[in-house]
């Protein structure tokens, strides 16, 4: 090796030491791969590679700018120094998924394909950075033992000062129905704990006066755990120390407390037990006490590492159970229905994709045998169910897309006329209504009223290319929040300025694509992920496009759920907004790549390319 070669390799190695994920490699590995990189200079406007071409390696920009566009030429990214590109194709089949063009004089470093794959096999950090489908590999367990103590604990526990009298403390415990109080001083510094057992054995049994200060009877330096400890640590501490209360501290500051009751409550919060409780309820108010635990359920399901489609399915099961129970209670109050009918959910409930923020979207199909006089019965039933759902926390639809609206409570023949009209004359309102109503799912009643309607509608829609084109155009109104220079396009003003809207710009673009694929392929599934899988299996979209889009959707949906779980954990009401700065550099990189995939598939749909394999 000449001195010039040595200088070159040293320069490249020093450059790599400041570029992630190369900065995680050992010095020995860096020295070895520095010499393996190939130099490439691209002049202004020159093509580096095009969609479908074999990639000769992983590209790293040393200096200059590179424009990345999708298969129809729509801009995806404008990359600068230290940015990497080409990895999406390398981790699949080695073929480019995008186009790359130098904007100005650009010096590139190209890591050979075989070394890229070697590093993916041998280095965890390197593999994690380039693995866009990593969510499926996580361990998925939901037992107490695998939960973090911070997710199990009761936050903001009741506290008393050390000078508080035992009489006052006992009264507080009685009035608030708690079995223990933490004793703290300024700054929430933990001094001890007082339990009902202490009151019985140390005060009553010993005949101490009610004026005794609690610091004289408290357990000093009680057993404590950090929020990061696991449930298995908690169980071991309780068993080994024979205690029923464990404080949770950060340093010497109290942040929470855990009791045997909390563990019992955790075990009781499962979708199955909640469904059972709802099925045994006799009023909407009783059901509301069950659905009030939904945020805790969502937090626990996410914390246990469940996939997003599992979490949303289990959360939606609760809404389905509440709807069916309210229907049964309505019939018990109003009497048997005069003719057959079917209650259906649309929107997120219809797709089984409810999260911690959900309104109600529903409708009713009545038998064509219904008379004018029968309509009053169904109006009362719809109001009963819709009001009950609102009581349970599924607030009224702002757009009045509910069965309580006579427009969405009609005989089957009217619904057939609705869908024919939307398909034949796809004006903006028709496109909006069709987008909602193509996500219908039966909840309770005579399901056969929907089966033929669904099949007929899908076939008619598929045959009408003008309708499909309008639906595609309508679906492209929601775009991923991509900015140039590998940044995000955040909300520009208002309450959520500078935040990402993970619903309208995150999951909704994929939901819209799934609906388009369902129309193109006459796919009967309404769940978005199921639609994507069916579209890939049927050839409605290519296998590579389907794989990429499913991975992207998984990451976007799980990022949204993780954010909602964090908000619930912090005691806030969950929403769909998040600051990009709340994510690590690695998470931002993965999320942006997921948005790029969605943008690419949208462009393909809009140009009529890439839809069919």
């Amino acid at each position: 090796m000449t001195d010039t070669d040595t200088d070159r390799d040293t320069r490249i190695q020093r450059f790599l030491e400041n570029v992630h994920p190369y900065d995680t490699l050992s010095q020995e590995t860096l020295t070895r791969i520095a010499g393996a990189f190939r130099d490439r200079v691209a002049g202004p406007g020159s093509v580096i590679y095009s969609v479908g071409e074999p990639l000769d390696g992983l590209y790293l920009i040393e200096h200059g700018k590179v424009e990345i566009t999708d298969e129809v030429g729509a801009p995806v990214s404008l990359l600068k120094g230290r940015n990497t590109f080409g990895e999406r194709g390398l981790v699949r089949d080695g073929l480019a998924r995008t186009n790359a063009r130098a904007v100005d004089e650009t010096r590139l470093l190209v890591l050979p394909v075989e070394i890229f794959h070697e590093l993916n096999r041998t280095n965890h950090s390197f593999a994690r950075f380039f693995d866009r489908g990593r969510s499926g590999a996580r361990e998925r367990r939901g037992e107490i033992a695998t939960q973090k103590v911070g997710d199990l604990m009761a936050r903001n526990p009741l506290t008393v000062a050390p000078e508080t009298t035992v009489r006052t403390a006992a009264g507080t415990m009685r009035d608030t129905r708690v079995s223990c109080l933490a004793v703290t001083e300024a700054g929430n510094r933990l001094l001890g704990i007082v339990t009902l057992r202490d009151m019985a054995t140390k005060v009553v049994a010993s005949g101490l006066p009610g004026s005794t200060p609690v610091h004289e009877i408290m357990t000093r330096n009680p057993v404590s755990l950090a929020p990061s400890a696991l449930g298995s640590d908690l169980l071991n501490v309780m068993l080994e120390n024979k205690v029923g209360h464990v404080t949770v501290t950060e340093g010497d500051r109290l942040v929470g407390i855990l009791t045997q009751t909390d563990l019992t409550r955790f075990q009781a919060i499962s979708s199955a037990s909640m469904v059972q409780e709802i099925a045994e309820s006799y009023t909407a108010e009783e059901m509301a006490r069950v659905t009030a635990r939904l945020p805790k359920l969502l937090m626990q399901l996410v914390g246990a590492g469940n996939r997003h489609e599992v979490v949303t399915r289990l959360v939606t099961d609760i809404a389905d159970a509440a709807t069916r129970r309210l229907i049964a209670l309505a019939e018990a109050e109003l009497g048997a229905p005069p003719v057959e009918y079917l209650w259906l959910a649309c929107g997120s409930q219809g797709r089984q994709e409810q999260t911690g923020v959900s309104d109600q979207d529903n409708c009713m199909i009545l038998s064509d045998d219904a008379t004018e006089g029968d309509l009053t019965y169904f109006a009362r039933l719809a109001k009963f169910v819709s009001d009950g759902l609102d009581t349970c926390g599924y607030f009224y639809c702002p757009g009045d897309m509910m069965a309580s609206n006579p427009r969405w409570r009609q005989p089957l023949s009217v619904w057939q006329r609705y869908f024919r009209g939307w398909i034949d004359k796809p004006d903006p309102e028709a496109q909006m209504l069709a987008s909602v109503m193509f996500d219908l799912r039966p909840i309770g009643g005579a399901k056969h009223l929907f089966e033929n309607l669904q099949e007929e509608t899908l076939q008619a829609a598929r045959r009408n290319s003008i309708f499909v084109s309008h639906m595609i155009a309508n679906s492209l109104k929601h775009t991923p929040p991509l900015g140039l220079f590998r940044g995000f396009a955040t909300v520009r003003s208002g309450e959520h300025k500078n935040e990402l809207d993970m619903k309208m710009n995150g999951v909704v673009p994929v939901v819209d694509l799934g609906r388009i694929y369902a129309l193109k392929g006459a796919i009967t599934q309404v769940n978005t992920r199921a639609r994507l899988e069916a579209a890939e299996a049927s050839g409605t979209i290519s296998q590579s496009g389907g794989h990429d889009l499913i991975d992207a959707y998984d990451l976007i949906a799980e990022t949204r759920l993780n954010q909602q779980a964090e908000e619930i954990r912090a005691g806030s009401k969950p929403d769909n907004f998040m600051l990009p700065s709340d994510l690590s550099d690695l998470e931002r990189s993965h999320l942006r790549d997921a948005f790029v995939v969605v943008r690419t598939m949208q462009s393909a749909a809009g140009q009529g390319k890439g839809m069919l394999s």
Side-chain angles (χ1 to χ4, degrees), residues 516-564:
I516 294 302
Y517 301 151
L519 292 177
K520 293 281 289 185
I523 294 167
T524 57
Q525 288 95 328
V526 293
N527 175 265
T528 297
R529 200 176 194 279
R531 280 172 166 171
L532 300 182
E533 291 174 342
E536 179 188 344
S538 66
T540 303
I541 53 175
S542 67
Q543 186 177 53
S544 60
H547 277 150
D548 283 349
L549 187 55
I550 289 171
D551 280 350
Y553 179 54
D554 286 345
L555 181 59
I556 294 167
E558 291 193 11
T559 301
R560 178 195 183 201
L561 278 180
N562 286 335
Q563 173 70 11
Q564 291 190 355

Side-chain angles (χ1 to χ4, degrees), residues 204-466:
V204 178
S206 301
L208 294 179
S211 59
T212 303
V214 292
H215 70 78
E216 293 187 11
I217 67 160
M218 70 182 184
T219 299
R220 298 177 180 274
N221 302 314
V223 176
S224 293
L225 290 172
S228 58
L230 294 179
S232 57
D233 300 321
L234 173 67
L235 295 172
N236 291 338
V237 162
M238 285 184 163
L239 290 171
E240 291 173 8
N241 294 275
K242 295 182 174 60
V243 295
H245 305 80
V246 175
T247 54
V248 184
T249 55
E250 290 180 335
D252 60 359
R253 186 174 64 87
L254 178 72
V255 294
I257 201 161
L258 272 161
T259 69
Q260 289 284 3
T261 303
D262 293 323
L263 298 187
T264 301
R265 186 180 299 116
F266 175 89
Q267 291 170 320
I269 296 180
S270 70
S271 61
S273 64
M274 292 171 71
V275 166
Q276 182 178 358
E277 287 183 63
I278 287 172
E280 295 172 351
S281 297
Y282 284 92
T283 66
E285 288 71 24
E286 288 180 32
M287 283 183 258
R289 287 192 284 272
V290 180
T291 57
R293 305 204 300 268
L294 271 171
K296 188 74 171 180
L297 173 67
L298 184 142
M299 185 185 75
Q300 291 175 182
L301 290 171
V302 172
N306 290 286
R307 295 182 62 85
H308 70 91
E309 70 270 24
V310 174
V311 176
T312 56
R313 169 63 185 272
L314 294 177
V315 169
T316 305
D317 284 348
I318 309 301
D320 290 355
T323 304
R324 283 191 287 267
R325 184 57 179 158
L326 286 166
I327 291 172
L329 292 174
E331 289 186 2
E333 180 174 308
L334 301 174
V339 296
E340 288 186 318
Y341 73 96
L342 178 63
W343 185 285
L344 304 99
C346 45
S348 60
Q349 185 184 358
R351 296 189 305 272
Q352 295 179 301
E353 293 167 6
Q354 288 189 318
T355 64
V357 186
S358 295
D359 60 357
Q360 55 174 297
D361 296 287
N362 44 61
C363 64
M364 289 176 70
I365 300 177
L366 311 181
S367 167
D368 282 332
D369 295 332
T371 66
E372 192 68 29
D374 296 334
L375 300 183
T376 301
Y377 173 94
F378 291 111
R380 294 174 63 192
L381 185 144
K383 185 177 188 308
F384 185 102
V385 176
S386 186
D387 289 350
L389 288 172
D390 184 69
T391 298
C392 291
Y394 303 101
F395 53 89
Y396 298 118
C397 172
D400 205 18
M401 300 282 287
M402 298 180 294
S404 54
N405 180 343
R407 187 181 184 186
W408 309 124
R409 188 180 66 250
Q410 293 291 333
L412 175 60
S413 57
V414 175
W415 280 102
Q416 291 171 326
R417 191 161 63 247
Y418 281 168
F419 278 102
R420 282 197 302 269
W422 296 333
I423 293 171
D424 292 342
K425 296 181 180 180
D427 57 31
E429 183 189 32
Q431 295 168 36
M432 182 274 292
L433 294 175
S435 294
V436 175
M437 294 304 178
F438 271 106
D439 294 346
L440 289 175
R441 181 172 59 89
I443 302 297
K447 293 184 180 181
H448 69 87
L449 292 173
F450 179 65
E451 291 167 357
N452 290 337
L453 174 64
Q454 182 187 38
E455 183 178 350
E456 292 169 3
T457 301
L458 284 173
Q459 292 300 333
R462 187 184 189 188
R463 291 192 299 266
N464 192 319
S465 59
I466 295 177

Side-chain angles (χ1 to χ4, degrees), residues 98-237:
T98 55
N99 304 299
R101 180 185 66 86
V103 175
D104 49 24
E105 187 79 11
T106 302
R107 178 179 291 277
L108 300 168
L109 298 175
V110 186
L111 182 67
V113 175
E114 60 274 13
I115 296 182
F116 171 77
H117 289 306
E118 174 202 331
L119 292 174
N120 262 326
R121 289 192 304 270
T122 60
N123 186 277
H124 174 73
S125 296
F126 191 90
R128 182 167 177 256
F129 184 82
F130 293 111
D131 177 14
R132 303 319 191 195
R134 69 199 192 296
S135 61
R138 296 184 310 183
E139 191 172 307
R140 310 283 181 176
R141 293 186 292 168
E143 298 87 357
I144 287 177
T146 62
Q147 293 286 301
K148 287 186 177 180
V149 164
D151 291 337
L152 297 170
M153 70 184 186
R155 296 177 179 274
N156 303 315
L158 290 174
T159 63
V160 293
E163 299 78 20
T164 304
T165 65
V166 294
R167 180 182 294 108
T168 300
T172 299
M173 296 168 78
R174 177 200 62 209
D175 295 341
T176 56
R177 298 183 179 181
V178 297
S179 59
C180 67
L181 293 171
V183 183
T184 59
E185 59 181 7
N188 227 27
R189 178 172 173 268
L190 181 66
L191 300 177
I193 188 172
V194 176
T195 67
L196 287 176
R197 184 177 180 181
D198 292 328
M199 291 291 185
T201 61
K202 297 179 181 179
V203 179
V204 178
S206 301
L208 294 179
S211 59
T212 303
V214 292
H215 70 78
E216 293 187 11
I217 67 160
M218 70 182 184
T219 299
R220 298 177 180 274
N221 302 314
V223 176
S224 293
L225 290 172
S228 58
L230 294 179
S232 57
D233 300 321
L234 173 67
L235 295 172
N236 291 338
V237 162

Side-chain angles (χ1 to χ4, degrees), residues 7 30 40 43 290 420 430 472 482 492:
D7 292 343
L30 278 176
R40 178 173 172 179
V290 180
R420 282 197 302 269
I472 291 173
L482 289 170
R492 295 182 178 180

